[in-house]
Amino acid sequence: MDLKTEEKLVKEAKSSPAAFSKLYDTYYPAIYRYALRRTANVQLSLDITSEVFFQALKHIKKFDWRDIPFSAWLYRIASNKINDSFRRKKYTSVSLDVLFASTDFEPASSENIEQELIDVEENLKKHHEFLKVQKHIASLEMVYQEAITLRYFENKKVKEVALILGKNEGTVKSQLSRGIKKLREKLESIDSKKKGEIPVMQPSVSFRVLPVEVDKNHD
Amino acid sequence: MTKKTEKFLQDFTFPEKEVRKHKKVLKMLLLAQYDSQLQNKSLRKGGEMDLRKILKYSSLVIAFVVVILALTVWKDSPINVFHTEKAQAQEVVNKAMDKFFTLTDDEKKIIQQKIQADLMSSLEEARAAEDLEVVPEEEIQRIDPPKFEGEGIGLPSREKKVIGFRKEFVHEDMEKEGFEKAEPGTRAMMPGEGKVMAPHNTTVLRYTNPQGAKVILGIDENDQPVMKMVTLRKEDLKEIEGSKDNLMFFEKKID
């Protein structure tokens, strides 16, 4: 969707459910896909996607297109939700069951969703290479994870990544460069023979160190 | 090598299957909630502007704003103090980061050799730390710069790093790989007790890194990092020393 059309649709969506529905149809795949590529977890990705669109609905009246395009805003919400889930290692999911309870609404059959979920999870498991690389990316610092996934998995330009993350382009480029370097090291270290190495941190001292009393009563 | 990794990532194949039912059901739920989400905060009641509601919210907002203004203006207010301290520390880091982009590769190399860490990562780590603060002057012991490069007492030369190996992985060819057996009693770290030593005209920052260790980062008057110390917690040091029967320490030259 081009930016002009998006802007017009967002304006309408503030008062028209049909317009909001069009935005949803356009961006649901992208947000779900981004969540899946960051988390490699189907259920979590669905929860995050649900949460993103509920947030979008809740705040769409206040949304100002001048600061950031709508699509970038959705990605930013998604990024924050994903980072929160990684940080806390627990996630308050917005499952469909909870949402049904609040709206007196029930689908025709919830069994079909379960089966489809199983199928999608089975499909995910077959992508071994992706799962392996995703695991390494997920072990990087959050700033690198976001930048790498948006740039290379979502094919966003540096400018778009900067807009989504609310940073300047120089910072994003530097984060991409560092992130790729760290990822490369991780991918290469799989073959490393130094399995017994336990690096011990050392103070980087460039001055004369005055004697410091050390507590010798460790035992 | 970076280009190779970039190409590798760009040529990836991803799982693309969606849970279509989820998409459909979520849409219905969103639309079912559309009216209530958008009208909940409305000040309209049956088409008429609810003046009592407007007045109630307005007075609450005004009261809140007055309190916040008073707290930010009041010199000793907790908001003011924290904001000033952390903001000051953030500003120091931000200036150092801005300076970083103006440095030549050689200048960056010199600084990285001094602090024995990647420059940008160190600054980013500091900026992201929640407890970043400027160390107060009363906690600092100011010292003169060393006369000789790498001068130190009781510590290995800064040209070498200490690595612990589990005994079962120590092999005959350690020397060929550049490892020398460390002197008995070699310590890699000392617990961070007492004053922080720093040269004059250096702003000393302190924060906890993602691994839980305390980090001291010194930035001079030219906005350049000049020292970085990562301190193991006492319990980590105990752990390493407690397992020392199974560990052998080696030194390796830093490239």
Side-chain angles (χ1 to χ4, degrees):
Chain A
M1 187 184 283
D2 66 277
L3 292 176
K4 252 190 172 167
T5 311
E6 185 192 276
E7 190 180 359
K8 189 172 168 234
L9 209 51
V10 168
K11 237 180 195 167
E12 286 171 25
K14 295 185 184 200
S15 54
S16 157
F20 184 83
S21 179
K22 275 190 193 155
L23 288 170
Y24 172 85
D25 288 334
T26 306
Y27 292 118
Y28 175 98
I31 298 301
Y32 166 72
R33 194 179 57 215
Y34 173 59
L36 188 62
R37 288 173 188 183
R38 282 277 313 268
T39 64
N41 182 317
V42 176
Q43 185 61 68
L44 182 58
S45 304
L46 293 176
D47 288 347
I48 284 169
T49 307
S50 304
E51 185 66 12
V52 166
F53 283 100
F54 265 97
Q55 285 272 60
L57 175 62
K58 197 173 166 187
H59 297 293
I60 192 155
K61 267 206 159 175
K62 287 184 284 185
F63 175 76
D64 192 344
W65 209 91
R66 277 177 308 171
D67 299 325
I68 175 173
F70 184 76
S71 52
W73 183 53
L74 292 180
Y75 270 103
R76 190 185 284 184
I77 299 172
S79 235
N80 291 338
K81 294 288 172 197
I82 293 166
N83 293 346
D84 284 345
S85 76
F86 283 163
R87 259 186 223 113
R88 291 183 213 143
K89 294 197 191 321
K90 61 174 175 153
Y91 182 73
T92 309
S93 73
V94 183
S95 71
L96 294 183
D97 292 333
V98 170
L99 297 171
F100 291 152
S102 66
T103 56
D104 297 323
F105 173 88
E106 278 191 36
S109 164
S110 58
E111 282 173 5
N112 291 338
I113 293 178
E114 293 289 335
Q115 185 52 52
E116 219 184 327
L117 189 60
I118 291 168
D119 290 343
V120 171
E121 281 171 349
E122 286 301 317
N123 176 260
L124 175 65
K125 282 179 195 165
K126 291 177 187 167
H127 287 77
H128 303 293
E129 200 63 28
F130 162 71
L131 290 171
K132 190 175 81 179
V133 170
Q134 188 277 336
K135 195 176 162 189
H136 289 300
I137 292 176
S139 68
L140 298 172
E141 283 157 36
M142 224 78 79
V143 288
Y144 301 137
Q145 288 184 40
E146 289 176 318
I148 289 174
T149 313
L150 286 167
R151 176 74 184 92
Y152 299 108
F153 288 177
E154 299 298 304
N155 289 317
K156 299 286 178 201
K157 296 187 181 110
V158 171
K159 189 177 175 182
E160 288 171 305
V161 176
L163 211 51
I164 289 167
L165 299 178
K167 296 177 181 171
N168 66 48
E169 286 180 47
T171 307
V172 170
K173 280 183 191 167
S174 135
Q175 283 171 351
L176 280 168
S177 164
R178 265 165 198 73
I180 290 289
K181 187 181 166 194
K182 284 182 188 257
L183 180 62
R184 195 186 73 233
E185 283 165 11
K186 281 182 184 287
L187 292 171
E188 284 169 3
S189 75
I190 295 165
D191 299 325
S192 171
K193 288 175 188 171
K194 295 179 185 172
K195 287 177 188 169
E197 188 170 310
I198 306 166
V200 180
M201 289 185 285
Q202 177 172 346
S204 355
V205 189
S206 56
F207 329 98
R208 185 172 66 238
V209 176
L210 299 174
V212 172
E213 289 224 7
V214 175
D215 180 8
K216 294 196 166 106
N217 299 322
H218 294 300
D219 313 320
Chain B
M1 285 295 266
T2 305
K3 294 280 179 205
K4 200 177 162 188
T5 311
E6 285 175 341
K7 181 120 183 25
F8 170 67
L9 291 173
Q10 278 166 332
D11 292 345
F12 233 80
T13 51
F14 300 98
E16 295 287 353
K17 236 178 162 178
E18 281 176 12
V19 181
R20 280 172 301 182
K21 298 269 180 341
H22 176 270
K23 183 180 177 184
K24 194 173 168 185
V25 170
L26 177 60
K27 184 176 179 177
M28 288 185 214
L29 283 165
L30 285 164
L31 294 177
Q33 295 218 345
Y34 182 87
D35 283 338
S36 60
Q37 284 286 352
L38 261 53
Q39 286 181 9
N40 237 350
K41 289 167 191 160
S42 168
L43 294 169
R44 290 182 178 274
K45 189 177 174 182
E48 298 285 322
M49 292 296 280
D50 189 343
L51 282 173
R52 277 180 299 177
K53 237 184 183 174
I54 292 170
L55 277 171
K56 180 183 163 192
Y57 288 131
S58 303
S59 55
L60 276 173
V61 165
I62 290 167
F64 181 72
V65 167
V66 166
V67 167
I68 292 298
L69 273 174
L71 283 173
T72 48
V73 165
W74 178 34
K75 194 183 153 196
D76 295 323
S77 96
I79 295 175
N80 216 358
V81 166
F82 287 131
H83 177 73
T84 303
E85 277 184 2
K86 186 150 184 205
Q88 192 191 355
Q90 289 277 4
E91 208 187 306
V92 171
V93 172
N94 286 340
K95 278 187 182 170
M97 285 182 108
D98 289 340
K99 183 68 190 248
F100 169 82
F101 288 112
T102 67
L103 297 173
T104 62
D105 286 341
D106 284 337
E107 283 168 334
K108 284 177 193 169
K109 221 177 174 179
I110 290 168
I111 294 173
Q112 281 174 171
Q113 269 185 329
K114 254 191 198 165
I115 67 170
Q116 287 294 310
D118 183 78
L119 178 51
M120 194 39 135
S121 302
S122 303
L123 292 171
E124 279 175 347
E125 189 182 75
R127 191 166 68 169
E130 288 199 13
D131 61 348
L132 177 69
E133 58 174 351
V134 176
V135 177
E137 195 57 36
E138 54 267 25
E139 290 182 39
I140 299 174
Q141 185 170 350
R142 298 287 179 184
I143 55 173
D144 295 325
K147 291 188 191 123
F148 307 104
E149 280 286 299
E151 186 179 315
I153 299 170
L155 289 173
S157 153
R158 69 182 184 88
E159 289 172 342
K160 296 182 184 178
K161 66 179 178 184
V162 177
I163 304 171
F165 279 84
R166 291 208 295 273
K167 280 185 179 166
E168 56 263 33
F169 288 103
V170 171
H171 51 83
E172 289 159 358
D173 297 328
M174 299 295 286
E175 259 180 66
K176 279 187 190 167
E177 291 183 22
F179 291 103
E180 287 171 17
K181 195 136 180 252
E183 294 284 325
T186 290
R187 295 278 182 89
M189 293 300 305
M190 289 186 291
E193 303 259 328
K195 289 195 175 185
V196 176
M197 286 167 288
H200 304 281
N201 300 326
T202 302
T203 305
V204 181
L205 303 176
R206 178 167 53 205
Y207 62 92
T208 308
N209 71 8
Q211 289 77 43
K214 279 276 179 225
V215 180
I216 299 290
L217 185 66
I219 297 180
D220 69 9
E221 69 269 29
N222 298 317
D223 301 322
Q224 290 181 17
V226 291
M227 62 178 266
K228 181 178 179 183
M229 287 182 68
V230 182
T231 310
L232 277 174
R233 296 165 299 181
K234 237 181 170 167
E235 40 278 26
D236 296 330
L237 185 62
K238 273 188 193 168
E239 204 180 293
I240 288 172
E241 291 214 284
S243 62
K244 67 180 176 189
D245 289 341
N246 197 36
L247 278 180
M248 287 179 74
F249 287 96
F250 290 81
E251 290 175 348
K252 185 170 183 182
K253 221 173 170 187
I254 295 168
D255 295 322

